[in-house]
Amino acid sequence: MRTESGLDDRDLAVLLFTWQCRYATLGQLRRAFWPSAPAAAAPRLRALRGGGWLGHRAHPWLRERLLYFPTRAGNRELAGLGLLDPRRIRDVPPAPDAAAPALRHDLAVVDLRLALEDSGADGRTWVSDHELRIRGRAL
């Protein structure tokens, strides 16, 4: 499937994954979405960034320099297709601070999710920290 904006199913999965996880590194996105062709990840991620659907920030002092995160435009695409609650369009994380312990925790949780998926667990059943926090506020 390709949306009117030119996004395909994998693009939408990348956008939803980054919304769920809040932040992801290039290596994590390669592992999740381009395991057999990791070189294909960078050009596609550049296109998602160029379209405004995915944010990024370089942190040269991190092991993996580039961090990706959701944007309102990407969230709007997901909501328009029923993949995200429209009330969550404005739900984007603050600019990542590489020194923050919370960011390092979030990236470690992404690694845990990917390890579970590699073990054969169904990633669609994963509920991220971010989604748990939203559910907790709704109670």
Side-chain angles (χ1 to χ4, degrees), residues 23-26 49 54-69 95-99 103 107:
Y23 304 103
T25 65
L26 174 60
R49 291 181 353 227
L54 193 61
H56 77 292
R57 176 170 274 182
H59 288 287
W61 49 89
L62 284 178
R63 183 173 56 88
E64 289 218 42
R65 202 170 82 82
L66 281 179
L67 292 177
Y68 294 88
F69 49 91
D97 177 2
L103 175 62
L107 294 175

PDB file of all heavy atoms in Angstrom, residues 23-26 49 54-69 95-99 103 107:
ATOM      1  N   TYR A  23      12.121   7.503  20.862  1.00  0.00           N
ATOM      2  CA  TYR A  23      13.412   7.708  20.208  1.00  0.00           C
ATOM      3  C   TYR A  23      13.927   6.360  19.725  1.00  0.00           C
ATOM      4  O   TYR A  23      13.684   5.338  20.356  1.00  0.00           O
ATOM      5  CB  TYR A  23      14.445   8.293  21.180  1.00  0.00           C
ATOM      6  CG  TYR A  23      14.019   9.572  21.832  1.00  0.00           C
ATOM      7  CD1 TYR A  23      13.569   9.586  23.144  1.00  0.00           C
ATOM      8  CD2 TYR A  23      14.059  10.775  21.137  1.00  0.00           C
ATOM      9  CE1 TYR A  23      13.165  10.763  23.750  1.00  0.00           C
ATOM     10  CE2 TYR A  23      13.659  11.959  21.742  1.00  0.00           C
ATOM     11  CZ  TYR A  23      13.216  11.951  23.051  1.00  0.00           C
ATOM     12  OH  TYR A  23      12.817  13.115  23.637  1.00  0.00           O
ATOM     13  N   ALA A  24      14.663   6.382  18.628  1.00  0.00           N
ATOM     14  CA  ALA A  24      15.322   5.174  18.133  1.00  0.00           C
ATOM     15  C   ALA A  24      16.581   5.594  17.387  1.00  0.00           C
ATOM     16  O   ALA A  24      16.634   6.669  16.778  1.00  0.00           O
ATOM     17  CB  ALA A  24      14.396   4.388  17.202  1.00  0.00           C
ATOM     18  N   THR A  25      17.576   4.747  17.444  1.00  0.00           N
ATOM     19  CA  THR A  25      18.819   5.016  16.723  1.00  0.00           C
ATOM     20  C   THR A  25      18.732   4.438  15.311  1.00  0.00           C
ATOM     21  O   THR A  25      17.858   3.613  15.018  1.00  0.00           O
ATOM     22  CB  THR A  25      20.020   4.373  17.436  1.00  0.00           C
ATOM     23  OG1 THR A  25      19.878   2.953  17.397  1.00  0.00           O
ATOM     24  CG2 THR A  25      20.146   4.864  18.879  1.00  0.00           C
ATOM     25  N   LEU A  26      19.656   4.842  14.472  1.00  0.00           N
ATOM     26  CA  LEU A  26      19.723   4.297  13.125  1.00  0.00           C
ATOM     27  C   LEU A  26      19.879   2.779  13.182  1.00  0.00           C
ATOM     28  O   LEU A  26      19.197   2.049  12.467  1.00  0.00           O
ATOM     29  CB  LEU A  26      20.882   4.931  12.350  1.00  0.00           C
ATOM     30  CG  LEU A  26      21.166   4.356  10.969  1.00  0.00           C
ATOM     31  CD1 LEU A  26      19.964   4.484  10.047  1.00  0.00           C
ATOM     32  CD2 LEU A  26      22.384   5.040  10.364  1.00  0.00           C
ATOM     33  N   ARG A  49      12.692  12.047   6.849  1.00  0.00           N
ATOM     34  CA  ARG A  49      13.083  13.309   7.485  1.00  0.00           C
ATOM     35  C   ARG A  49      12.784  14.482   6.562  1.00  0.00           C
ATOM     36  O   ARG A  49      12.252  15.504   6.981  1.00  0.00           O
ATOM     37  CB  ARG A  49      14.577  13.297   7.831  1.00  0.00           C
ATOM     38  CG  ARG A  49      14.929  12.353   8.932  1.00  0.00           C
ATOM     39  CD  ARG A  49      16.401  12.346   9.315  1.00  0.00           C
ATOM     40  NE  ARG A  49      17.297  13.103   8.490  1.00  0.00           N
ATOM     41  CZ  ARG A  49      18.465  12.644   8.036  1.00  0.00           C
ATOM     42  NH1 ARG A  49      18.850  11.421   8.309  1.00  0.00           N
ATOM     43  NH2 ARG A  49      19.253  13.416   7.315  1.00  0.00           N
ATOM     44  N   LEU A  54       9.520  12.432  10.073  1.00  0.00           N
ATOM     45  CA  LEU A  54      10.386  11.866  11.100  1.00  0.00           C
ATOM     46  C   LEU A  54      11.418  12.915  11.475  1.00  0.00           C
ATOM     47  O   LEU A  54      12.005  13.555  10.588  1.00  0.00           O
ATOM     48  CB  LEU A  54      11.078  10.612  10.537  1.00  0.00           C
ATOM     49  CG  LEU A  54      11.783   9.681  11.495  1.00  0.00           C
ATOM     50  CD1 LEU A  54      10.797   9.094  12.517  1.00  0.00           C
ATOM     51  CD2 LEU A  54      12.444   8.547  10.728  1.00  0.00           C
ATOM     52  N   GLY A  55      11.618  13.115  12.766  1.00  0.00           N
ATOM     53  CA  GLY A  55      12.636  14.050  13.221  1.00  0.00           C
ATOM     54  C   GLY A  55      13.940  13.326  13.483  1.00  0.00           C
ATOM     55  O   GLY A  55      13.971  12.111  13.643  1.00  0.00           O
ATOM     56  N   HIS A  56      15.017  14.078  13.531  1.00  0.00           N
ATOM     57  CA  HIS A  56      16.314  13.494  13.868  1.00  0.00           C
ATOM     58  C   HIS A  56      17.196  14.556  14.504  1.00  0.00           C
ATOM     59  O   HIS A  56      16.984  15.757  14.323  1.00  0.00           O
ATOM     60  CB  HIS A  56      16.985  12.910  12.627  1.00  0.00           C
ATOM     61  CG  HIS A  56      17.602  13.950  11.735  1.00  0.00           C
ATOM     62  ND1 HIS A  56      16.856  14.851  11.023  1.00  0.00           N
ATOM     63  CD2 HIS A  56      18.889  14.227  11.464  1.00  0.00           C
ATOM     64  CE1 HIS A  56      17.663  15.639  10.336  1.00  0.00           C
ATOM     65  NE2 HIS A  56      18.897  15.290  10.595  1.00  0.00           N
ATOM     66  N   ARG A  57      18.140  14.088  15.254  1.00  0.00           N
ATOM     67  CA  ARG A  57      19.123  14.976  15.864  1.00  0.00           C
ATOM     68  C   ARG A  57      20.422  14.196  16.019  1.00  0.00           C
ATOM     69  O   ARG A  57      20.400  13.040  16.427  1.00  0.00           O
ATOM     70  CB  ARG A  57      18.641  15.468  17.215  1.00  0.00           C
ATOM     71  CG  ARG A  57      19.705  16.315  17.916  1.00  0.00           C
ATOM     72  CD  ARG A  57      19.181  16.990  19.120  1.00  0.00           C
ATOM     73  NE  ARG A  57      18.583  18.248  18.655  1.00  0.00           N
ATOM     74  CZ  ARG A  57      18.045  19.123  19.457  1.00  0.00           C
ATOM     75  NH1 ARG A  57      17.968  18.881  20.737  1.00  0.00           N
ATOM     76  NH2 ARG A  57      17.539  20.241  18.994  1.00  0.00           N
ATOM     77  N   ALA A  58      21.522  14.838  15.690  1.00  0.00           N
ATOM     78  CA  ALA A  58      22.835  14.209  15.833  1.00  0.00           C
ATOM     79  C   ALA A  58      23.385  14.484  17.233  1.00  0.00           C
ATOM     80  O   ALA A  58      23.301  15.606  17.726  1.00  0.00           O
ATOM     81  CB  ALA A  58      23.796  14.751  14.780  1.00  0.00           C
ATOM     82  N   HIS A  59      23.908  13.456  17.836  1.00  0.00           N
ATOM     83  CA  HIS A  59      24.575  13.543  19.135  1.00  0.00           C
ATOM     84  C   HIS A  59      25.917  12.834  18.998  1.00  0.00           C
ATOM     85  O   HIS A  59      26.010  11.624  19.216  1.00  0.00           O
ATOM     86  CB  HIS A  59      23.738  12.875  20.234  1.00  0.00           C
ATOM     87  CG  HIS A  59      22.524  13.638  20.601  1.00  0.00           C
ATOM     88  ND1 HIS A  59      22.560  14.805  21.324  1.00  0.00           N
ATOM     89  CD2 HIS A  59      21.220  13.417  20.325  1.00  0.00           C
ATOM     90  CE1 HIS A  59      21.322  15.265  21.497  1.00  0.00           C
ATOM     91  NE2 HIS A  59      20.502  14.445  20.891  1.00  0.00           N
ATOM     92  N   PRO A  60      26.967  13.554  18.611  1.00  0.00           N
ATOM     93  CA  PRO A  60      28.250  12.917  18.320  1.00  0.00           C
ATOM     94  C   PRO A  60      28.848  12.150  19.500  1.00  0.00           C
ATOM     95  O   PRO A  60      29.675  11.283  19.301  1.00  0.00           O
ATOM     96  CB  PRO A  60      29.160  14.082  17.926  1.00  0.00           C
ATOM     97  CG  PRO A  60      28.275  15.236  17.670  1.00  0.00           C
ATOM     98  CD  PRO A  60      26.986  14.984  18.373  1.00  0.00           C
ATOM     99  N   TRP A  61      28.438  12.449  20.702  1.00  0.00           N
ATOM    100  CA  TRP A  61      29.018  11.776  21.864  1.00  0.00           C
ATOM    101  C   TRP A  61      28.323  10.463  22.203  1.00  0.00           C
ATOM    102  O   TRP A  61      28.778   9.729  23.057  1.00  0.00           O
ATOM    103  CB  TRP A  61      29.002  12.701  23.079  1.00  0.00           C
ATOM    104  CG  TRP A  61      27.673  13.342  23.313  1.00  0.00           C
ATOM    105  CD1 TRP A  61      26.650  12.863  24.043  1.00  0.00           C
ATOM    106  CD2 TRP A  61      27.227  14.577  22.772  1.00  0.00           C
ATOM    107  NE1 TRP A  61      25.571  13.707  23.990  1.00  0.00           N
ATOM    108  CE2 TRP A  61      25.902  14.786  23.224  1.00  0.00           C
ATOM    109  CE3 TRP A  61      27.808  15.536  21.941  1.00  0.00           C
ATOM    110  CZ2 TRP A  61      25.165  15.902  22.866  1.00  0.00           C
ATOM    111  CZ3 TRP A  61      27.064  16.653  21.613  1.00  0.00           C
ATOM    112  CH2 TRP A  61      25.765  16.825  22.068  1.00  0.00           C
ATOM    113  N   LEU A  62      27.237  10.149  21.510  1.00  0.00           N
ATOM    114  CA  LEU A  62      26.595   8.850  21.692  1.00  0.00           C
ATOM    115  C   LEU A  62      27.264   7.813  20.787  1.00  0.00           C
ATOM    116  O   LEU A  62      27.794   8.145  19.737  1.00  0.00           O
ATOM    117  CB  LEU A  62      25.110   8.920  21.323  1.00  0.00           C
ATOM    118  CG  LEU A  62      24.169   9.587  22.300  1.00  0.00           C
ATOM    119  CD1 LEU A  62      22.755   9.603  21.736  1.00  0.00           C
ATOM    120  CD2 LEU A  62      24.176   8.890  23.642  1.00  0.00           C
ATOM    121  N   ARG A  63      27.202   6.560  21.189  1.00  0.00           N
ATOM    122  CA  ARG A  63      27.753   5.475  20.362  1.00  0.00           C
ATOM    123  C   ARG A  63      27.101   5.505  18.983  1.00  0.00           C
ATOM    124  O   ARG A  63      27.756   5.383  17.966  1.00  0.00           O
ATOM    125  CB  ARG A  63      27.526   4.133  21.064  1.00  0.00           C
ATOM    126  CG  ARG A  63      28.130   2.960  20.335  1.00  0.00           C
ATOM    127  CD  ARG A  63      28.040   1.678  21.141  1.00  0.00           C
ATOM    128  NE  ARG A  63      26.695   1.322  21.535  1.00  0.00           N
ATOM    129  CZ  ARG A  63      25.862   0.592  20.788  1.00  0.00           C
ATOM    130  NH1 ARG A  63      26.242   0.147  19.627  1.00  0.00           N
ATOM    131  NH2 ARG A  63      24.651   0.319  21.222  1.00  0.00           N
ATOM    132  N   GLU A  64      25.779   5.637  18.952  1.00  0.00           N
ATOM    133  CA  GLU A  64      25.055   5.790  17.687  1.00  0.00           C
ATOM    134  C   GLU A  64      24.646   7.246  17.588  1.00  0.00           C
ATOM    135  O   GLU A  64      23.805   7.717  18.341  1.00  0.00           O
ATOM    136  CB  GLU A  64      23.832   4.876  17.667  1.00  0.00           C
ATOM    137  CG  GLU A  64      24.236   3.436  17.535  1.00  0.00           C
ATOM    138  CD  GLU A  64      23.293   2.691  16.649  1.00  0.00           C
ATOM    139  OE1 GLU A  64      22.886   3.224  15.607  1.00  0.00           O
ATOM    140  OE2 GLU A  64      22.970   1.572  17.024  1.00  0.00           O
ATOM    141  N   ARG A  65      25.261   7.929  16.692  1.00  0.00           N
ATOM    142  CA  ARG A  65      25.176   9.385  16.601  1.00  0.00           C
ATOM    143  C   ARG A  65      23.791   9.937  16.335  1.00  0.00           C
ATOM    144  O   ARG A  65      23.377  10.914  16.940  1.00  0.00           O
ATOM    145  CB  ARG A  65      26.124   9.794  15.466  1.00  0.00           C
ATOM    146  CG  ARG A  65      26.598  11.170  15.497  1.00  0.00           C
ATOM    147  CD  ARG A  65      27.689  11.348  14.467  1.00  0.00           C
ATOM    148  NE  ARG A  65      27.198  11.563  13.130  1.00  0.00           N
ATOM    149  CZ  ARG A  65      26.797  12.737  12.665  1.00  0.00           C
ATOM    150  NH1 ARG A  65      26.812  13.773  13.436  1.00  0.00           N
ATOM    151  NH2 ARG A  65      26.364  12.854  11.444  1.00  0.00           N
ATOM    152  N   LEU A  66      23.031   9.330  15.423  1.00  0.00           N
ATOM    153  CA  LEU A  66      21.732   9.882  15.036  1.00  0.00           C
ATOM    154  C   LEU A  66      20.587   9.272  15.842  1.00  0.00           C
ATOM    155  O   LEU A  66      20.484   8.057  15.962  1.00  0.00           O
ATOM    156  CB  LEU A  66      21.454   9.634  13.553  1.00  0.00           C
ATOM    157  CG  LEU A  66      22.132  10.559  12.569  1.00  0.00           C
ATOM    158  CD1 LEU A  66      21.761  10.167  11.148  1.00  0.00           C
ATOM    159  CD2 LEU A  66      21.775  12.006  12.807  1.00  0.00           C
ATOM    160  N   LEU A  67      19.740  10.135  16.353  1.00  0.00           N
ATOM    161  CA  LEU A  67      18.516   9.711  17.031  1.00  0.00           C
ATOM    162  C   LEU A  67      17.331  10.165  16.184  1.00  0.00           C
ATOM    163  O   LEU A  67      17.307  11.288  15.682  1.00  0.00           O
ATOM    164  CB  LEU A  67      18.400  10.347  18.413  1.00  0.00           C
ATOM    165  CG  LEU A  67      19.392   9.894  19.457  1.00  0.00           C
ATOM    166  CD1 LEU A  67      19.171  10.674  20.743  1.00  0.00           C
ATOM    167  CD2 LEU A  67      19.277   8.411  19.703  1.00  0.00           C
ATOM    168  N   TYR A  68      16.363   9.299  16.046  1.00  0.00           N
ATOM    169  CA  TYR A  68      15.136   9.596  15.316  1.00  0.00           C
ATOM    170  C   TYR A  68      13.980   9.653  16.292  1.00  0.00           C
ATOM    171  O   TYR A  68      13.963   8.942  17.292  1.00  0.00           O
ATOM    172  CB  TYR A  68      14.874   8.514  14.252  1.00  0.00           C
ATOM    173  CG  TYR A  68      15.924   8.523  13.180  1.00  0.00           C
ATOM    174  CD1 TYR A  68      17.092   7.784  13.314  1.00  0.00           C
ATOM    175  CD2 TYR A  68      15.755   9.293  12.040  1.00  0.00           C
ATOM    176  CE1 TYR A  68      18.066   7.807  12.334  1.00  0.00           C
ATOM    177  CE2 TYR A  68      16.719   9.328  11.053  1.00  0.00           C
ATOM    178  CZ  TYR A  68      17.872   8.584  11.217  1.00  0.00           C
ATOM    179  OH  TYR A  68      18.838   8.621  10.241  1.00  0.00           O
ATOM    180  N   PHE A  69      13.001  10.503  15.980  1.00  0.00           N
ATOM    181  CA  PHE A  69      11.842  10.669  16.849  1.00  0.00           C
ATOM    182  C   PHE A  69      10.645  11.126  16.020  1.00  0.00           C
ATOM    183  O   PHE A  69      10.808  11.614  14.899  1.00  0.00           O
ATOM    184  CB  PHE A  69      12.140  11.648  17.996  1.00  0.00           C
ATOM    185  CG  PHE A  69      12.772  12.938  17.548  1.00  0.00           C
ATOM    186  CD1 PHE A  69      11.988  14.033  17.224  1.00  0.00           C
ATOM    187  CD2 PHE A  69      14.153  13.052  17.444  1.00  0.00           C
ATOM    188  CE1 PHE A  69      12.560  15.214  16.807  1.00  0.00           C
ATOM    189  CE2 PHE A  69      14.734  14.234  17.029  1.00  0.00           C
ATOM    190  CZ  PHE A  69      13.946  15.321  16.712  1.00  0.00           C
ATOM    191  N   ALA A  95      13.073  17.687  22.325  1.00  0.00           N
ATOM    192  CA  ALA A  95      14.354  17.432  21.658  1.00  0.00           C
ATOM    193  C   ALA A  95      15.207  16.559  22.572  1.00  0.00           C
ATOM    194  O   ALA A  95      15.313  16.829  23.769  1.00  0.00           O
ATOM    195  CB  ALA A  95      15.057  18.752  21.371  1.00  0.00           C
ATOM    196  N   PRO A  96      15.770  15.495  22.040  1.00  0.00           N
ATOM    197  CA  PRO A  96      16.496  14.559  22.886  1.00  0.00           C
ATOM    198  C   PRO A  96      17.762  15.164  23.479  1.00  0.00           C
ATOM    199  O   PRO A  96      18.510  15.856  22.805  1.00  0.00           O
ATOM    200  CB  PRO A  96      16.833  13.407  21.938  1.00  0.00           C
ATOM    201  CG  PRO A  96      16.775  13.992  20.580  1.00  0.00           C
ATOM    202  CD  PRO A  96      15.778  15.105  20.636  1.00  0.00           C
ATOM    203  N   ASP A  97      17.973  14.900  24.744  1.00  0.00           N
ATOM    204  CA  ASP A  97      19.180  15.306  25.456  1.00  0.00           C
ATOM    205  C   ASP A  97      19.982  14.031  25.695  1.00  0.00           C
ATOM    206  O   ASP A  97      19.597  13.183  26.501  1.00  0.00           O
ATOM    207  CB  ASP A  97      18.810  15.976  26.776  1.00  0.00           C
ATOM    208  CG  ASP A  97      20.021  16.350  27.606  1.00  0.00           C
ATOM    209  OD1 ASP A  97      21.165  16.135  27.155  1.00  0.00           O
ATOM    210  OD2 ASP A  97      19.822  16.851  28.724  1.00  0.00           O
ATOM    211  N   ALA A  98      21.078  13.892  24.977  1.00  0.00           N
ATOM    212  CA  ALA A  98      21.850  12.645  25.021  1.00  0.00           C
ATOM    213  C   ALA A  98      22.390  12.339  26.414  1.00  0.00           C
ATOM    214  O   ALA A  98      22.693  11.195  26.718  1.00  0.00           O
ATOM    215  CB  ALA A  98      22.995  12.701  24.016  1.00  0.00           C
ATOM    216  N   ALA A  99      22.514  13.346  27.262  1.00  0.00           N
ATOM    217  CA  ALA A  99      23.061  13.114  28.600  1.00  0.00           C
ATOM    218  C   ALA A  99      21.991  12.637  29.580  1.00  0.00           C
ATOM    219  O   ALA A  99      22.314  12.183  30.666  1.00  0.00           O
ATOM    220  CB  ALA A  99      23.700  14.398  29.112  1.00  0.00           C
ATOM    221  N   LEU A 103      16.743   9.143  28.441  1.00  0.00           N
ATOM    222  CA  LEU A 103      16.961   8.799  27.039  1.00  0.00           C
ATOM    223  C   LEU A 103      17.724   7.482  26.930  1.00  0.00           C
ATOM    224  O   LEU A 103      17.370   6.612  26.147  1.00  0.00           O
ATOM    225  CB  LEU A 103      17.722   9.905  26.314  1.00  0.00           C
ATOM    226  CG  LEU A 103      18.096   9.576  24.861  1.00  0.00           C
ATOM    227  CD1 LEU A 103      16.852   9.341  24.010  1.00  0.00           C
ATOM    228  CD2 LEU A 103      18.947  10.678  24.276  1.00  0.00           C
ATOM    229  N   LEU A 107      16.309   4.078  25.079  1.00  0.00           N
ATOM    230  CA  LEU A 107      17.025   3.360  24.026  1.00  0.00           C
ATOM    231  C   LEU A 107      17.312   1.913  24.437  1.00  0.00           C
ATOM    232  O   LEU A 107      17.244   1.007  23.605  1.00  0.00           O
ATOM    233  CB  LEU A 107      18.311   4.096  23.658  1.00  0.00           C
ATOM    234  CG  LEU A 107      18.114   5.467  23.002  1.00  0.00           C
ATOM    235  CD1 LEU A 107      19.454   6.153  22.792  1.00  0.00           C
ATOM    236  CD2 LEU A 107      17.345   5.356  21.699  1.00  0.00           C
TER     237      LEU A 107
END
